[in-house]
Each structure stands twice: as C-alpha cells, then as structure tokens.
C-alpha cells in the first residue's frame, strides 16, 4: 500500500499486538510503511511475535512489555517506545478480553477483568500517549470496539457494556482532541476466528448461532481488518473522527 495510505515516517503502538487482530494490524501498518511497536504482557511472547513480524514485513518491530490495566507499566512502555522512535503517531487500543456468562453467573472478578482491560485499559493508554500527540500536533487513535459496541448478544453483558464504553470513549476524545490534529476512531469488528473466540470455534452449535447474526454468513478473514486500520491511521483520513467503522459482514446493518 502506498500513495494516499502511505505511512512512511509514522510510528505506531499496538496493544495486544502479539496475537490475532492486533498482530494482523501491526503487520498491515508496517507493510504500509510505519515503524511499529507491539505491547503485550508476556515478555517471551511479545519478543517472539516482534521477531516474526520483523521477518515478515522487513521492518524492525519493537516489542514492549506492559499490562494495559497498570498505569505505571504503560507509562514506562510508552517511554520505551518514545526512546526508540522519538514519537508515537498512531495508537491502536486493541488489547481486550471476553468472558461469556449468563447474568446469574457473572463473577465479580470476571466483570472487573473485562472492565479493567477493555475500558480502563483504553483510557490508561490514551492518557499516556495523548500528551505526546498534543505536543506533536498530530495523532491517530484507533480503538477496537466490537459489533457488540452497537448491538446486544446473550451472555455478553460485561463484554458488550465494555465495548459500548469503548465507542463512547472514542466519541468523547474525538471531540476533546478535535482541534489538536488528533483523530480518534473506533473499528467495530464482527466475528474473526482468533483466540478470543476459541470456545465458540470449538463448538459447532455456538459457532452456527454466532454466524446466524452475520448476513455474509461467515467469519471475517484476518486480512479483512487491514485496510480499515491503515485507512484510519493515514493522513488521508484527516477529517474522519469519532466514527465507528464496522467490519462485521453486515451484522449491525441487519
Ligand atoms: P486475542 O485474544 O488474540 O487478542 C487479545 C490480545 O489482548 C491478546 O494478545 C492478549 O494477550 C491481549 N491482552 C489482554 N489483556 C491484556 C492486558 N491486560 N494488557 C495487555 N494485553 C492484554 O483476540 P483478538 O480477536 O485478536 O482481539 C483483539 C481485539 O479485537 C479485542 O479488543 C477484542 O475484543 C476485539 N474484537 C475481536 C473480535 C473477534 O471476533 N475476534 C470481534 C470484535 C472485537
């Protein structure tokens, strides 16, 4: 990808970037020319993923260790990325968890884990990165919501509530930062066959139930997340802020 969507000279930080959609987005931003850092909790996993991405893309991917629920760790990780690249132009808040439970069986610690990761984690990462974007007068923040930012689904109370909140964080920060050269947008994926959906993927009935919501009737292919993230990360998307870009096979149109 080049031309309109060329990211040469830009630097990107992707949370949860060592697996699934995060890894794919890290790959696509690097292929579009960006210098990329991926953040994950496990040192060995993030180093390994960064090495593999470096091989695949021909660009050095920098691994940083951190838990998005821990403000101190994220400040330190952001400091490391800045020490390496000197700036962060693009922040992809991708780290997330899903625990499916009917209302009577929701465990407090699961609720807290979902909320801390999916909501507080996005706030913590924005809080750490925005001052640097403000100083630069430029930034692209891309939050990863979900189709469940927009519609409900049984047994996902915590997850859907958290992803609804991600969309509201997106809109609020889009307004707050609109005059700073910083755009804030949300990608809302439908079902992709990643680790977060392992329990559904292992159960054909659950899998069929989920796909019944999707007019296209299929899982998203990982490469189908690439163009949306590169577009929102690009200078070409300069007048696009506060939006939800659904990548969901038509789920939320139905
Ligand atoms: P995944 O399970 O492979 O990725 C989640 C990543 O977040 C993992 O790398 C995990 O280690 C990381 N993570 C979790 N808690 C963290 C923490 N406290 N600190 C740092 N990293 C942490 O699954 P996937 O699908 O790649 O998920 C990526 C994002 O996409 C998530 O926000 C998820 O909610 C969202 N999403 C995924 C959909 C799907 O069908 N796969 C659909 C809609 C949204």
């Amino acid at each position: 990808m080049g031309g309109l969507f060329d990211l040469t000279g830009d630097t990107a930080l992707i949370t949860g970037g060592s697996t699934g959609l995060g890894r794919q987005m890290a790959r696509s931003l690097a292929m579009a020319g960006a210098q990329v850092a991926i953040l994950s909790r496990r040192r060995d996993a993030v180093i390994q993923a960064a090495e593999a991405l470096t091989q695949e893309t021909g660009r050095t991917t920098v691994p940083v260790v951190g838990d998005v629920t821990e403000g101190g760790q994220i400040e330190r990780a952001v400091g490391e990325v800045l020490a390496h690249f000197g700036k962060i132009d693009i922040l992809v808040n991708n780290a997330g968890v899903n625990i499916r439970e009917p209302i009577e069986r929701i465990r407090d610690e699961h609720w807290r884990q979902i909320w801390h990761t999916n909501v507080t984690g996005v706030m913590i990462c924005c809080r750490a990165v925005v001052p640097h974007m403000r100083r630069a007068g430029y930034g692209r923040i891309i939050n990863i919501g979900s189709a469940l930012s927009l519609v409900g689904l049984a047994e996902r109370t915590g997850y859907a509530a958290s992803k609804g909140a991600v969309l509201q964080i997106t809109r609020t920060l889009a307004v707050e930062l609109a005059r700073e050269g910083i755009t804030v947008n949300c990608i809302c994926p439908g079902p992709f066959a990643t680790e977060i959906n392992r329990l559904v993927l292992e159960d054909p009935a659950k899998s069929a139930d989920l796909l019944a919501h999707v007019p296209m009737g299929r899982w998203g292919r990982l490469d189908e997340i690439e163009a949306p993230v590169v577009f929102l990360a690009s200078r070409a998307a300069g007048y696009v802020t506060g939006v939800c870009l659904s990548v969901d096979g038509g789920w939320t149109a139905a």
Side-chain angles (χ1 to χ4, degrees), residues 24-80:
Q24 192 77 23
M25 291 188 284
R27 182 183 179 282
S28 55
L29 294 174
M31 296 300 280
Q35 296 176 299
V36 169
I38 56 173
L39 175 134
S40 187
R41 282 165 299 180
R42 283 193 21 233
R43 183 174 299 279
D44 52 343
V46 76
I47 290 172
Q48 214 172 53
E51 276 169 6
L53 280 167
T54 300
Q55 290 273 323
E56 254 175 78
T57 64
R59 277 172 194 281
T60 306
T61 299
V62 172
V64 281
V65 179
D67 183 323
V68 297
T69 66
E70 298 288 341
Q73 290 185 26
I74 294 306
E75 290 290 340
R76 201 166 50 238
V78 165
E80 276 176 40

Side-chain angles (χ1 to χ4, degrees), residues 69-239:
T69 66
E70 298 288 341
Q73 290 185 26
I74 294 306
E75 290 290 340
R76 201 166 50 238
V78 165
E80 276 176 40
V81 179
L82 289 169
H84 206 92
F85 294 135
K87 60 186 184 136
I88 299 175
D89 302 292
I90 302 160
L91 169 66
V92 183
N93 284 308
N94 163 79
V97 290
N98 186 4
I99 303 169
R100 302 166 186 83
E101 288 162 329
I103 184 68
E104 303 89 334
R105 293 214 297 271
I106 292 177
R107 286 170 48 185
D108 290 353
E109 68 268 31
H110 290 168
W111 181 274
R112 277 195 290 268
Q113 189 190 349
I114 292 172
W115 202 260
H116 283 157
T117 309
N118 298 3
V119 184
T120 312
V122 172
M123 180 280 290
I124 284 175
C125 292
C126 290
R127 189 176 63 189
V129 171
V130 162
H132 306 287
M133 290 181 165
R134 256 192 218 275
R135 258 197 300 281
Y138 183 81
R140 296 280 181 266
I141 298 175
I142 300 159
N143 298 324
I144 306 304
S146 164
L148 301 191
S149 297
L150 302 165
V151 296
L153 187 65
E155 302 187 358
R156 272 81 163 179
T157 304
Y159 184 75
S162 75
K163 291 299 188 176
V166 170
L167 184 51
Q168 283 301 83
I169 291 174
T170 303
R171 290 174 173 143
T172 304
L173 291 184
V175 173
E176 190 168 325
L177 302 171
R179 289 169 186 254
E180 308 288 335
I182 303 170
T183 64
V184 189
N185 292 293
C186 195
I187 293 178
C188 289
F192 283 78
T194 64
E195 177 62 24
I196 211 168
N197 281 320
R198 187 166 44 81
L199 294 179
V200 176
L201 285 159
E202 283 170 0
D203 182 331
K206 285 201 170 103
S207 188
D209 279 354
L210 188 63
L211 291 185
H213 293 278
V214 182
M216 287 189 188
R218 65 170 176 86
W219 293 85
R221 292 194 318 265
L222 278 181
D223 63 281
E224 288 173 323
I225 205 70
E226 294 194 358
V229 74
V230 171
F231 166 63
L232 291 175
S234 72
R235 279 168 169 71
Y239 202 47

